[in-house]
Amino acid sequence: MGQKGSSGLFRAVSAFGVVGFVRFLEGYYIILITKRRKMADIGGHAIYKIEDTNMIYIPNDSVRVTHPDEARYLRIFQNVDLSSNFYFSYSYDLSHSLQYNLTVLRMPLEMLKTETAQTRQESFDIFEDEGLITQGGSG
């Protein structure tokens, strides 16, 4: 699994991307995309399907406390099949619709800045009714 380079560093794993981080009882794990398959092109942007992932514990032995339920949580989490219908792109926002993405691409920069500013002003503040002061508001 590992290769030692000329710099003395050791390659633990090669990955195409980071799915995310998860924390259970003993510490953090990083979930990496280790195998991908190109599924489509949308406007010149490649769309990939996750084929395989690897979960690696991020060592922090100075604060690691062994917990008897850690292995059980790991097994439960590893039952989630990330290779089933999970897609990503390096350059295309898959969290928006095609219509939205095409609209944003065609929108002049000045209009986009104005729309973003208006959205920020119209945002909902959950603390407003409580009379609490938030960073952007006066309470």
Side-chain angles (χ1 to χ4, degrees):
M1 176 160 113
Q3 298 173 334
K4 187 168 183 175
S6 59
S7 64
L9 297 176
F10 191 79
R11 180 189 304 236
V13 65
S14 292
F16 294 104
V18 176
V19 174
F21 294 85
V22 66
R23 180 175 185 241
F24 298 118
L25 303 169
E26 293 182 16
Y28 288 90
Y29 297 82
I30 185 171
I31 298 106
L32 300 171
I33 300 167
T34 55
K35 189 176 178 186
R36 68 180 184 184
R37 181 167 36 127
K38 187 175 179 181
M39 299 299 290
D41 273 309
I42 299 178
H45 301 276
I47 309 299
Y48 297 95
K49 180 182 186 295
I50 295 175
E51 293 283 313
D52 199 14
T53 59
N54 191 0
M55 187 169 168
I56 301 172
Y57 177 72
I58 301 173
N60 191 353
D61 293 330
S62 64
V63 295
R64 187 172 188 175
V65 178
T66 305
H67 197 284
D69 289 331
E70 182 79 2
R72 183 170 72 94
Y73 289 141
L74 273 171
R75 278 194 311 275
I76 291 168
F77 184 81
Q78 289 171 340
N79 282 334
V80 176
D81 186 8
L82 294 174
S83 66
S84 174
N85 299 320
F86 281 85
Y87 299 88
F88 72 98
S89 175
Y90 297 110
S91 59
Y92 185 80
D93 186 357
L94 292 173
S95 66
H96 287 106
S97 67
L98 175 63
Q99 181 180 5
Y100 176 87
N101 285 340
L102 290 176
T103 303
V104 169
L105 289 175
R106 290 189 180 134
M107 194 178 290
L109 186 57
E110 286 305 313
M111 268 181 80
L112 189 58
K113 286 180 185 175
T114 305
E115 183 178 288
T116 304
Q118 286 173 349
T119 304
R120 236 181 268 129
Q121 290 171 352
E122 296 168 4
S123 65
F124 176 71
D125 187 350
I126 62 170
F127 298 110
E128 187 174 64
D129 292 337
E130 302 295 324
L132 299 172
I133 298 172
T134 59
Q135 263 185 330
S138 56

